[in-house]
């Protein structure tokens, strides 16, 4: 105690001698205006002689001007801090809630460098101080209390430097924006308890931490659930928005069909019959499709059969089959999605465009090829061979478009249907009101009646006839009649035989059409012979 009061006295004997002048003006003005008195050097020397521990005594070389300015700031700060009697003592720097002057005093680094030994408490709290930790303050190594709380200090706290402040008992760094300490287990944090670092940013905030834990425990599962939910919803409603690997290839949903048809708009409705709407639609990838929608109610069993059928027909793949892209099976509706055909069906084509002989043969050949494919690969798939249900592609390939599964019709029935299809393509329609018009049997009998002698009467008059065509027509229509003969008098024709006959007939025209006319003439004779 004795030494402290001694140094106090020494120091303030100096300040006191200056005080009448100094304290009358602001500190900055005094710093610029005031000059040290002539005997300042000797005063300092005397002080150091009496108390060598004074900080300025240990600086070398001694900067008299700086030491003088220090004494000015010290006397101002002592008074600002409302010390009881600055002439006698300077035990505290109290700049609490003084945001105007606190930064100014902090900026006088020469003051902190010579920090008076009498100061035991520094309170700079509640001043909105910005920037990094005011490390100069730690030059006052003798202090017992330091309060920097309620500021906006940021960055790292120089934890290591505190080790020299051996007298420090109370520290308050609360309510600042320091960076979280990477050394939270060092001596420093054992010395002071948590109330020194409330909301300082220095220690991991337990509340924040628990918030994080809660967020993680609550939000993560929610996020997962929401993601899975969205994913599931997409799966159920718009699988076309999913990456390809998550899609089920042939599965369409009502929302997908709704989107494809512009909300089932009338504009896209291309056909309608009882319980069935046919729409033209565009899928998300731009594919144009034909969508057949059945609105009827179905039993569970028939629904199951419907799906089985769809699963099969989507696997059909042949040049002469309409590609079935998929199906939709929901509580409200069932639908089949196939590729879109701009062309018409064979029935309309024949009546509207009067196609030449060769093109008609091409249709027959395509249909037979399709039939062979189905017979070999998918014998359980039945199909409809009416001229109205065989479609035409842009390249005038016939496309079998109506399939039914579990079709029990025998192969001879299929051959019969083909024969009828053949005749319908090559033979005049029977005018309405005619005695044979009513049934297909009537139609076949009508052709048979004129075959072969009056054949010219029944062959479609729109075919441009030549001798060669007539020869061929005779054979082809003869084939058609054989196919449709159910009397059992003929041996059963096989699909393969029919295919051979039609293909050869068609190919003989290809040879004829080829640019090398001479050769084709020779071949023509050959081809002709073959068909016999
Ligand atoms: C102060 O006085 C001492 C002698 O008393 C002298 O040695 C020293 O150089 C002086 N310092 C300055 C800065 O004038
Ligand atoms: C201390 O400062 C106050 C104003 O804050 C002033 O009125 C007073 O005179 C000063 N004391 C001395 C000793 O200069
Ligand atoms: C902080 O200072 C402001 C004035 O600058 C004052 O109104 C407020 O009460 C002080 N808060 C504390 C905790 O001292
Ligand atoms: C003041 O503090 C700085 C930084 O902590 C240090 O480098 C310097 O030596 C100190 N000066 C005194 C006189 O203690
Ligand atoms: C923390 O220290 C202060 C004084 O240093 C004391 O009042 C307080 O009870 C201590 N709190 C805990 C949790 O130890
Ligand atoms: C530090 O200051 C805060 C806010 O003013 C206070 O709640 C806390 O108790 C103080 N801590 C200590 C160790 O004084």
């Amino acid at each position: 105690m004795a030494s402290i009061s001694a140094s106090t006295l020494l120091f303030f004997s100096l300040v006191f001698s200056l005080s009448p002048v100094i304290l009358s003006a602001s500190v900055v003005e005094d710093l610029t205006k005031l000059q040290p008195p002539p005997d300042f050097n000797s005063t300092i020397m005397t002080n150091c002689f009496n108390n060598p521990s004074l900080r300025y005594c240990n600086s070398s070389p001694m900067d008299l001007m700086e030491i003088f300015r220090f004494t000015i700031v010290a006397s101002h700060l002592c008074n600002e801090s409302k010390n009881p009697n600055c002439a006698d003592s300077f035990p505290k720097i109290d700049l609490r809630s003084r945001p105007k002057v606190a930064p100014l005093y902090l900026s006088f680094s020469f003051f902190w460098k010579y920090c008076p030994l009498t100061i035991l408490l520094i309170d700079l709290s509640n001043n909105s101080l910005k920037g990094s930790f005011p490390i100069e303050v730690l030059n006052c190594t003798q202090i017992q209390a330091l309060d920097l709380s309620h500021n906006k200090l940021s960055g790292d706290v120089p934890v290591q430097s505190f080790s020299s402040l051996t007298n420090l008992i109370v520290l308050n760094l609360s309510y600042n924006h320091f960076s979280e300490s990477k050394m939270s287990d060092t001596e420093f944090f054992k010395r002071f308890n948590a109330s020194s670092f409330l909301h300082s940013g220095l220690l991991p905030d337990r509340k924040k931490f628990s918030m994080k834990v809660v967020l993680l425990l609550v939000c993560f599962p929610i996020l997962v659930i929401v993601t899975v939910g969205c994913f599931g919803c997409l799966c159920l409603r718009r699988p076309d928005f999913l990456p390809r690997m998550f899609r089920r290839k042939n599965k369409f949903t009502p929302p997908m069909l709704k989107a494809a048809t512009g909300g089932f708009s009338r504009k896209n409705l291309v056909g309608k019959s009882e319980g069935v709407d046919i729409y033209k639609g565009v899928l998300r990838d731009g594919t144009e499709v034909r969508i057949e929608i059945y609105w009827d109610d179905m039993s569970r069993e028939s629904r199951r059969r419907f799906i089985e059928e769809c699963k099969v027909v989507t696997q059909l793949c042949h040049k002469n089959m309409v590609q079935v892209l998929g199906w939709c099976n929901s509580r409200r509706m069932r639908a089949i999605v196939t590729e879109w055909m701009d062309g018409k069906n064979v029935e309309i084509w024949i009546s509207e465009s009067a196609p030449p002989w060769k093109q008609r043969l091409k249709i027959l050949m395509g249909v037979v090829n399709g039939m062979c494919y189905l017979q070999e690969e998918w014998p359980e798939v039945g199909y409809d061979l009416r001229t109205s249900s065989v479609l035409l592609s842009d390249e005038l390939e016939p496309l079998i478009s109506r399939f039914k599964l579990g079709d029990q019709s025998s192969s001879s029935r299929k051959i019969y249907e083909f024969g009828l299809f053949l005749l319908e393509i090559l033979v005049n329609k029977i005018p309405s009101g005619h005695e044979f018009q009513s049934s297909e049997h009537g139609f076949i009998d009508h052709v048979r009646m004129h075959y072969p002698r009056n054949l010219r009467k029944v062959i479609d008059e729109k075919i441009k006839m030549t001798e060669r065509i007539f020869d061929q027509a005779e054979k082809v229509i003869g084939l058609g009649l054989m196919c449709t003969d159910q009397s059992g008098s003929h041996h059963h024709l096989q699909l393969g035989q029919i295919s051979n006959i039609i293909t050869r007939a068609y190919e003989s025209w290809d040879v004829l059409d080829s640019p090398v006319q001479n050769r084709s003439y020779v071949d023509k004779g050959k081809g002709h012979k073959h068909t016999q």
Side-chain angles (χ1 to χ4, degrees):
M1 241 355 191
S3 77
I4 289 179
S5 57
S7 67
T8 311
L9 242 157
L10 281 169
F11 172 73
F12 282 103
S13 64
L14 161 73
V15 173
F16 195 65
S17 65
L18 296 169
S19 61
V21 199
I22 298 167
L23 297 179
S24 60
S26 87
V27 59
V28 179
E29 274 175 54
D30 288 350
L31 281 178
T32 50
K33 275 197 310 207
L34 292 175
Q35 287 295 321
D39 62 345
F40 188 69
N41 186 357
S42 60
T43 314
I44 295 297
M45 290 303 157
T46 316
N47 284 346
C48 286
F49 180 76
N50 290 327
N51 187 354
S53 67
L54 288 171
R55 281 200 169 86
Y56 56 73
C57 301
N58 298 323
S59 63
S60 73
M62 275 174 101
D63 184 338
L64 275 189
M65 194 58 204
E66 195 177 65
I67 295 170
F68 176 69
R69 292 167 73 199
F70 152 74
T71 60
I72 297 172
V73 171
S75 52
H76 277 283
L77 185 52
C78 185
N79 189 40
E80 285 285 358
S81 300
K82 302 191 178 61
N83 280 295
N85 186 351
C86 280
D88 292 336
S89 61
F90 188 179
K92 62 171 187 197
I93 295 175
D94 181 2
L95 290 177
R96 177 184 189 83
S97 305
R98 305 285 304 277
K100 290 239 171 66
V101 297
L104 176 71
Y105 283 105
L106 257 182
S107 73
F108 298 131
S109 54
F110 53 84
F111 167 77
W112 300 101
K113 189 170 153 192
Y114 304 127
C115 178
L117 291 166
T118 52
I119 296 171
L120 299 178
L121 181 151
I122 300 176
D123 186 351
L124 293 169
S125 65
N126 194 29
N127 284 319
S128 305
L129 295 175
K130 289 190 187 115
S132 52
F133 187 93
I135 194 158
E136 302 84 354
V137 171
L138 299 187
N139 281 77
C140 312
T141 46
Q142 76 286 354
I143 52 168
Q144 295 168 355
L146 173 62
D147 192 345
L148 291 173
S149 64
H150 291 283
N151 282 304
K152 292 172 181 162
L153 298 169
S154 55
D156 291 327
V157 171
V159 170
Q160 305 287 336
S161 308
F162 276 87
S163 55
S164 55
L165 279 68
T166 45
N167 299 326
L168 192 65
I169 303 162
V170 180
L171 173 69
N172 205 339
L173 302 179
S174 305
Y175 299 96
N176 276 293
H177 309 309
F178 293 117
S179 325
E180 195 172 301
S181 173
K182 291 168 201 87
M183 303 179 287
S184 50
D185 55 346
T186 51
E187 199 54 39
F188 175 74
F189 289 98
K190 289 182 191 128
R191 223 169 123 190
F192 308 102
N193 69 29
S195 75
S196 300
F197 309 113
L198 307 170
H199 302 278
S200 62
L202 207 53
L203 288 180
D205 196 324
R206 206 168 287 149
K207 238 190 206 162
K208 257 190 200 160
F209 179 74
S210 52
M211 277 295 281
K212 273 183 196 164
V213 169
V214 166
L215 275 180
L216 212 71
L217 287 183
V218 173
C219 295
F220 186 69
I222 288 178
L223 195 78
V224 168
I225 289 169
V226 167
T227 310
V228 168
C230 288
F231 191 78
C233 189
L234 270 183
C235 274
L236 285 179
R237 294 179 60 82
R238 291 303 302 270
D240 49 338
F241 277 96
L242 292 174
R244 196 170 284 273
M245 58 185 291
F246 294 113
R247 268 185 249 163
R248 283 173 55 198
K249 203 170 143 244
N250 302 312
K251 199 90 166 48
F252 288 81
T253 61
M256 268 167 92
L257 299 183
K258 194 174 173 191
T261 55
F264 302 116
S265 87
R266 284 200 150 271
K267 199 177 67 188
N268 293 319
L269 187 66
V270 293
K272 193 174 174 67
S273 58
E274 204 183 328
V276 187
D277 288 350
I278 300 171
Y279 284 94
K280 180 178 182 176
V282 180
L283 301 184
R284 244 188 106 231
D285 62 5
T287 318
E288 287 191 330
V289 291
R290 173 191 155 98
I291 302 170
E292 241 169 84
I293 299 179
Y294 307 89
W295 298 101
D296 53 351
D297 273 332
M298 267 189 127
S299 68
R300 200 163 236 237
E301 177 54 24
S302 23
R303 252 175 209 287
R304 197 189 53 76
R305 225 177 316 122
F306 169 74
I307 294 173
E308 288 302 313
E309 274 182 44
C310 289
K311 279 184 183 162
V312 170
V313 294
T314 48
Q315 295 178 69
L316 301 181
C317 179
H318 188 269
K319 190 174 72 162
N320 296 111
M321 314 263 124
V322 162
Q323 183 70 44
V324 180
L325 300 175
W327 70 90
C328 166
N329 175 40
S330 80
R331 213 173 306 153
R332 268 189 315 128
M333 61 149 110
R334 289 174 305 127
I336 293 186
V337 182
T338 58
E339 62 177 327
W340 177 257
M341 281 298 141
D342 259 333
K344 3 181 153 189
N345 62 43
V346 168
E347 184 180 28
I348 295 174
W349 177 66
I350 295 278
S351 66
E352 282 183 358
S353 61
W357 173 253
K358 189 188 160 192
Q359 276 183 11
R360 297 184 197 224
L361 276 184
K362 185 180 175 186
I363 299 300
L364 291 176
M365 189 174 71
V367 168
V368 172
N369 286 344
M371 288 170 75
C372 288
Y373 165 77
L374 288 176
Q375 179 175 285
E376 280 160 28
E377 313 261 336
W378 300 97
E380 73 272 33
V381 176
Y383 40 84
D384 184 355
L385 272 192
R386 276 171 301 165
T387 47
S388 58
S389 56
V390 174
L391 306 180
L392 279 177
S393 75
D394 292 339
E395 294 83 36
L396 290 182
E397 282 289 346
L399 301 165
I400 298 173
S401 73
R402 291 184 176 266
F403 307 98
K404 40 186 186 287
L405 210 64
D407 183 61
Q408 296 306 316
S409 54
S410 61
S411 63
S412 65
R413 173 71 198 168
K414 283 172 183 163
I415 286 174
Y416 169 85
E417 280 172 5
F418 174 73
L420 187 62
F421 178 81
L422 182 153
L423 295 179
E424 280 176 349
I425 285 193
L426 302 181
V427 170
N428 266 329
K429 268 212 159 64
I430 300 180
S432 55
H434 194 279
E435 53 173 318
F436 291 122
Q437 201 242 343
S438 54
S439 72
E440 56 186 53
H441 291 294
F443 171 67
I444 294 166
D445 288 345
H446 166 75
V447 179
R448 204 182 295 284
M449 221 168 66
H450 293 86
Y451 185 84
R453 261 174 298 137
N454 284 330
L455 196 59
R456 274 180 204 276
K457 257 194 193 162
V458 289
I459 292 181
D460 190 347
E461 66 222 356
K462 283 175 286 184
I463 302 176
K464 244 197 263 153
M465 269 301 156
T466 65
E467 207 45 46
R468 185 174 132 78
I469 290 177
F470 186 74
D471 277 359
Q472 223 178 39
E474 192 181 332
K475 283 170 195 102
V476 175
I477 290 174
L479 176 69
L481 287 174
M482 265 164 80
C483 292
T484 51
D485 183 4
Q486 289 178 308
S487 67
S489 56
H490 283 281
H491 73 284
H492 279 301
L493 273 169
Q494 296 300 313
L495 203 49
Q497 294 172 293
I498 297 172
S499 168
N500 276 344
I501 295 169
I502 303 272
T503 308
R504 267 195 235 134
Y506 177 74
E507 280 170 358
S508 74
W509 289 95
D510 258 0
V511 174
L512 194 69
D513 285 349
S514 85
V516 191
Q517 280 291 332
N518 278 346
R519 231 191 79 205
S520 66
Y521 244 93
V522 180
D523 286 353
K524 174 196 152 194
K526 271 190 195 161
H528 205 77
K529 261 204 187 90
H530 273 297
T531 55
Q532 287 175 340

